[in-house]
Amino acid sequence: MNSQVEISSSIGQAAPVSTGLKVISAKTADIYKKNLDGVTFYEAAIGKNWDLSKPTALDFVAVIERKFARNNKYHGFFLPTSQHMAPKTLSEYIGQKIDFDEMVDAFVQNACTVANEPGRGTLSLGHLVLVHYRTANDEIDTGRFLVVLVGKKGGYDFDADLQPIDLTSINTSDLRHAAMFDLTLFNETFPNNDGDAYLKFIAKNSKSDFFKEAFGCGDYVPNKNSVQQINTAILDFLDDPAIPPQRRVQIIEKVTTYLSNAAKSQKAVSIVQVGQIINNSLPVGSEKIGGFEKFVNLGSYTISELFQPTRPAAATLKSVDINDPAGIFKCSINIQAIGYSNSDEKPVIVDDDLKFITIPLTPQASTILKQILGEKIIINEALPHQVVI
């Protein structure tokens, strides 16, 4: 094992996202294309362990952790029946049956195997950086295993031993893919998978599925899609006359608050957790209590077992977008503000056939519209200062 170094340096003018970490080991693999007798295939050269007396590995971890914090991620587990090499190799490493070098060899060789699969086509590859690190002052923390594919720089970025000159020599701006395995959570929960997700994955400057498949991250749905699908499932599930309209609005508001809080704290959520929020808000004795998860599983919804919403995505459930296909107008309205003409204290009114909507105007907006449209603007006499669109 290489010596361990605690993060204390900063990157440029920005402090690292993660402080108090120790890098256990780090290596670079150069995946390159080779041609032999007219046949093109991919091979890899694995460098020596990084010199951890330099801050490069620590700075690199901080940069990548920042990218994980700021980007949408796939979250997930390995299936208990998975035949992929990743869970087996991680288990052997945690159990000290293999060392870091052997683990790196296994992951890199599998990457080459996947890259050379028939029909894969030409890949835009680069340097594969593999790092094991953990919390500095937590001796029982097994740590995290980070695998990052970055593009190659035009110049001289690694030496003959595939050691980085410094952080600037690693092309982190051209991050293709990155996988982060929380070894502590993996060791505690696999294969039962009854805790937090131990696998995170981000795809940046590459559309290829090669990396996902190489490291067992290929079966997860993007967060954005999961949020859209969970929103659709919730609305479909609540579309039941047995649930009063006001109760539906309350449920949507509570789910939105839950997703927004998860987005704020950058935590993943599950279908089960969303179902619990709905259960707690359904009318007492409702036959739908405890049925959301089954409803989703039996439906045609595509939702990751765990997903992380963004703040904008979390807010979409409680609003309805109104727009013209031609792009002439567009607006978004909170569903709490909308009601039929006999609704109490609802500022936005829809007609009984749900074909038109009446939106209140401020005096300033009325003045501007009069200046533009003249005095022939159609005013709804029943609702002063309102215009029908």
Side-chain angles (χ1 to χ4, degrees):
M1 290 286 185
N2 285 340
S3 59
Q4 302 173 354
V5 183
E6 185 172 352
I7 284 184
S8 59
S9 61
S10 60
I11 304 172
Q13 298 299 316
V17 171
S18 301
T19 57
L21 296 177
K22 283 186 177 180
V23 172
I24 310 300
S25 298
K27 272 192 170 187
T28 307
D30 180 15
I31 301 180
Y32 58 90
K33 184 165 57 176
K34 188 173 181 179
N35 190 292
L36 182 64
D37 296 331
V39 178
T40 299
F41 57 96
Y42 295 92
E43 285 191 348
I46 301 176
K48 294 182 179 180
N49 283 282
W50 286 13
D51 179 2
L52 297 184
S53 66
K54 299 178 180 179
T56 307
L58 301 167
D59 290 344
F60 176 77
V61 167
V63 168
I64 302 303
E65 284 218 335
R66 179 158 53 232
K67 290 182 182 292
F68 268 96
R70 293 179 178 178
N71 290 275
N72 281 340
K73 295 167 282 296
Y74 300 80
H75 291 261
F77 303 102
F78 293 114
L79 295 176
T81 56
S82 174
Q83 298 300 308
H84 198 278
M85 53 75 61
K88 178 177 183 293
T89 304
L90 293 175
S91 295
E92 289 179 344
Y93 179 64
I94 293 170
Q96 298 183 343
K97 294 180 180 179
I98 61 174
D99 60 19
F100 181 75
D101 293 344
E102 291 171 307
M103 179 172 67
V104 168
D105 288 344
F107 273 97
V108 172
Q109 292 308 316
N110 192 64
C112 290
T113 298
V114 173
N116 288 320
E117 288 177 346
R120 173 66 60 182
T122 302
L123 298 174
S124 177
L125 299 177
H127 286 121
L128 201 59
V129 179
L130 306 96
V131 185
H132 177 203
Y133 64 102
R134 68 170 177 83
T135 304
N137 298 318
D138 187 354
E139 296 299 327
I140 64 173
D141 178 24
T142 310
R144 279 157 276 180
F145 180 47
L146 188 64
V147 190
V148 184
L149 181 65
V150 295
K152 296 181 180 180
K153 285 191 171 183
Y156 189 66
D157 47 357
F158 285 84
D159 65 19
D161 294 326
L162 290 178
Q163 296 271 326
I165 308 303
D166 53 30
L167 181 66
T168 61
S169 70
I170 307 173
N171 197 5
T172 55
S173 61
D174 186 20
L175 186 150
R176 309 288 176 81
H177 300 284
M180 182 188 292
F181 305 92
D182 189 318
L183 301 179
T184 300
L185 289 176
F186 171 79
N187 192 41
E188 292 174 351
T189 64
F190 182 78
N192 295 325
N193 298 333
D194 53 0
D196 293 334
Y198 47 73
L199 168 61
K200 297 180 182 179
F201 178 80
I202 55 177
K204 290 288 287 179
N205 300 338
S206 175
K207 302 297 183 182
S208 172
D209 288 333
F210 142 76
F211 193 86
K212 296 180 187 178
E213 296 172 17
F215 297 100
C217 311
D219 296 329
Y220 302 96
V221 180
N223 288 303
K224 181 180 179 181
N225 293 14
S226 288
V227 174
Q228 291 173 344
Q229 288 283 293
I230 198 89
N231 287 350
T232 301
I234 292 169
L235 295 176
D236 291 344
F237 183 73
L238 297 179
D239 187 12
D240 185 335
I243 305 175
Q246 187 58 35
R247 184 62 63 94
R248 298 180 205 176
V249 173
Q250 291 174 358
I251 292 172
I252 289 173
E253 184 65 26
K254 288 184 178 180
V255 172
T256 299
T257 299
Y258 178 77
L259 295 179
S260 297
N261 289 337
K264 189 182 301 182
S265 59
Q266 298 183 355
K267 289 185 177 180
V269 300
S270 69
I271 297 171
V272 174
Q273 291 167 330
V274 173
Q276 290 171 346
I277 301 297
I278 296 174
N279 290 340
N280 295 336
S281 304
L282 285 168
V284 176
S286 172
E287 294 181 355
K288 300 182 80 70
I289 293 176
F292 180 70
E293 185 179 3
K294 182 177 180 180
F295 178 84
V296 171
N297 292 335
L298 293 178
S300 57
Y301 308 101
T302 307
I303 306 169
S304 280
E305 186 173 6
L306 287 167
F307 59 94
Q308 182 178 323
T310 60
R311 294 189 190 185
T316 57
L317 178 61
K318 67 176 183 179
S319 64
V320 57
D321 292 328
I322 304 170
N323 58 74
D324 172 36
I328 298 175
F329 66 86
K330 179 180 180 180
C331 64
S332 181
I333 303 174
N334 191 313
I335 60 172
Q336 287 189 313
I338 305 174
Y340 291 103
S341 58
N342 61 348
S343 301
D344 296 330
E345 299 179 356
K346 297 293 184 180
V348 180
I349 305 300
V350 292
D351 70 304
D352 293 345
D353 296 326
L354 292 172
K355 292 183 177 179
F356 297 92
I357 190 166
T358 304
I359 303 174
L361 296 176
T362 63
Q364 181 183 9
S366 295
T367 299
I368 293 173
L369 289 175
K370 287 179 182 179
Q371 290 174 333
I372 297 172
L373 302 177
E375 294 295 328
K376 292 184 179 181
I377 185 170
I378 301 175
I379 301 294
N380 188 323
E381 297 297 335
L383 298 168
H385 301 298
Q386 296 186 352
V387 59
V388 178
I389 61 171

